[in-house]
């Protein structure tokens, strides 16, 4: 005979088993290979629903390096390195560190400009509850932080599309909390960057920035998405980083493909381009 305590123990074992969980509460099941299509759908639907619920109609996407520091941080680091170099002027490690700190301080200019541009856009388009041209970034540090910070300092809303990576990926503190998202799939994150995008502004960056830039250029070139202003900020960097003229000379792209983007060195010029483009396409 099974006594009361044995009966309860058996029931407890059943209720704690993986197969007894409700499907939507079974994270092991949801994370299985067989559910990949459903996870892709959920990543699209969740973000889309939240953005619709918040009446986000259009966005301005800002890409750029996660490694660019704020001027305050870069200056502080430079001062620390300078003191150590002064103490050991022949130290090769410190000489290299000093050159790196100099470069970081120089590049912090882009952080300032990203703040300025995000402020300009946010203050011009977000007023009286309007949700147009909402600043959108990858939600991380560097240029992404600067852009979200510009909107934050303007008391405007901004979006951050973070992603789970093997190393820690922390959202920057300036994203509007209810518009901070985290993705597993790069593909779905990229889709949400562009679904509502009315302009793309790309600051200097590395692999991730290049990947996102060429994704958009390819989509516009192949007419998979409508043309939008694609603005590369910092002509000196971009002309060295990518030789577009060489691609034309080698027949890898057509000459008119150079018209898909514009290099600028002024935030005012970038803002004017955006306004002019949308005045012509309204």
């Amino acid at each position: 005979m099974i006594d009361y305590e044995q009966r309860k123990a058996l029931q407890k074992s059943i209720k704690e088993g993986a197969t007894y969980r409700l499907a939507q509460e079974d994270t092991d099941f949801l994370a299985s290979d067989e559910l990949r299509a459903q996870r892709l759908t959920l990543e699209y639907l969740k973000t889309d629903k939240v953005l619709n619920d918040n009446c986000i109609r259009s966005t301005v996407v800002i890409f750029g390096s996660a490694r660019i520091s704020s001027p305050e941080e870069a200056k502080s680091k430079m001062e620390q390195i300078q003191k150590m170099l002064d103490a050991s002027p022949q130290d090769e490690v410190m000489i290299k560190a000093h050159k790196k700190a100099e470069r970081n301080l120089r590049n912090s200019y882009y952080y300032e400009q990203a703040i300025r541009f995000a402020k300009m856009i946010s203050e011009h388009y977000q007023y009286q509850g309007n949700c147009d041209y909402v600043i959108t970034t990858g939600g991380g540090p560097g240029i992404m932080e600067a852009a979200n910070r510009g909107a934050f300092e303007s008391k405007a809303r901004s979006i951050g599309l973070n992603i789970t990576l093997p190393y820690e990926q922390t959202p920057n503190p300036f994203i509007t909390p209810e518009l901070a998202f985290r993705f597993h799939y790069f593909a779905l994150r990229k889709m949400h960057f562009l679904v509502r995008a009315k302009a793309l502004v790309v600051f200097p960056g590395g692999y991730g920035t290049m990947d996102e830039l060429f994704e958009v250029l390819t989509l516009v070139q192949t007419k998979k998405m409508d043309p939008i202003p694609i603005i590369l900020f910092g002509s000196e960097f971009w002309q060295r980083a990518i030789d577009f003229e060489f691609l034309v000379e080698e027949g890898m792209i057509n000459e008119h493909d150079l018209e898909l983007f514009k290099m600028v060195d002024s935030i005012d010029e970038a803002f004017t381009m955006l306004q002019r483009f949308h005045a012509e396409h309204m």
Side-chain angles (χ1 to χ4, degrees):
M1 293 287 292
I2 298 176
D3 62 24
Y4 176 78
E5 292 302 327
Q6 290 174 314
R7 183 186 184 91
K8 296 300 288 183
L10 289 169
Q11 287 178 323
K12 183 174 183 293
S13 177
I14 290 170
K15 290 169 72 174
E16 290 178 350
T19 56
Y20 195 75
R21 299 173 199 156
L22 290 173
Q24 67 267 28
E25 296 174 0
D26 189 343
T27 55
D28 292 329
F29 170 65
L30 293 174
S32 65
D33 289 345
E34 292 81 1
L35 270 289
R36 182 173 290 113
Q38 286 73 20
R39 290 197 303 276
L40 286 161
T41 301
L42 288 171
E43 281 211 347
Y44 176 78
L45 289 175
K46 178 183 176 181
T47 306
D48 192 56
K49 181 182 186 305
V50 172
L51 293 178
N52 285 336
D53 288 348
N54 281 273
C55 302
I56 307 297
R57 295 178 295 193
S58 59
T59 62
V60 173
V61 178
I62 298 180
F63 293 144
S65 176
R67 303 182 184 191
I68 291 178
S69 304
S70 68
E72 301 83 7
E73 184 181 346
K75 184 178 179 181
S76 175
K77 187 69 173 179
M78 181 67 183
E79 289 171 351
Q80 293 175 27
I81 297 295
Q82 186 66 59
K83 287 179 182 178
M84 290 187 281
L85 182 61
D86 290 343
S88 305
Q90 304 304 319
D91 188 324
E92 290 294 330
V93 173
M94 293 312 305
I95 291 172
K96 289 182 180 179
H98 188 266
K99 289 181 180 179
K100 181 179 179 181
E102 281 185 325
R103 184 194 65 217
N104 290 343
L105 183 58
R106 183 177 67 250
N107 285 339
S108 69
Y109 164 80
Y110 295 116
Y111 186 102
E112 285 186 301
Q113 296 305 299
I115 290 178
R116 283 191 57 222
F117 182 74
K119 280 186 177 181
M120 195 178 294
I121 291 292
S122 299
E123 289 170 0
H124 189 83
Y125 289 105
Q126 282 196 58
Y127 59 90
Q128 297 179 347
N130 287 348
C131 291
D132 289 307
Y133 293 74
V134 179
I135 295 296
T136 301
T137 78
I143 293 297
M144 296 173 280
E145 175 183 294
N148 289 123
R149 179 175 168 180
F152 178 85
E153 291 180 357
S154 300
K155 295 181 170 52
R157 296 200 286 173
S158 70
I159 299 166
L161 306 181
N162 220 271
I163 190 159
T164 301
L165 297 173
Y167 49 88
E168 185 179 2
Q169 177 80 346
T170 303
N172 72 67
F174 302 109
I175 307 165
T176 302
E178 62 270 23
L179 300 177
F181 302 91
R182 183 160 63 108
F183 291 82
H184 176 76
Y185 296 104
F186 271 107
L188 269 296
R189 181 179 183 240
K190 287 179 175 180
M191 181 177 291
H192 276 297
F193 273 132
L194 299 179
V195 167
R196 294 168 175 78
K198 297 302 179 185
L200 170 67
V201 181
V202 190
F203 287 79
Y207 285 163
T209 303
M210 301 290 182
D211 172 54
E212 290 155 340
L213 167 62
F214 278 99
E215 179 97 18
V216 181
L217 287 172
T218 301
L219 290 171
V220 175
Q221 181 200 49
T222 58
K223 303 188 186 306
K224 290 293 186 179
M225 67 177 284
D226 293 333
I228 61 172
I230 300 173
I231 301 168
L232 309 187
F233 188 87
S235 59
E236 183 179 356
F237 172 86
W238 289 109
Q239 286 167 358
R240 287 193 63 190
I242 308 171
D243 192 340
F244 289 103
E245 295 290 347
F246 175 72
L247 294 177
V248 173
E249 290 172 10
E250 291 297 305
M252 302 302 168
I253 61 174
N254 292 322
E255 190 168 2
H256 62 75
D257 289 331
L258 299 178
E259 299 171 5
L260 298 179
F261 62 90
K262 173 76 172 177
M263 294 183 191
V264 304
D265 292 299
S266 160
I267 290 302
D268 292 328
E269 184 180 0
F271 183 67
T272 300
M273 280 182 58
L274 191 154
Q275 286 187 302
R276 185 183 300 122
F277 181 92
H278 290 292
E280 293 172 354
H281 291 78
M282 285 183 65

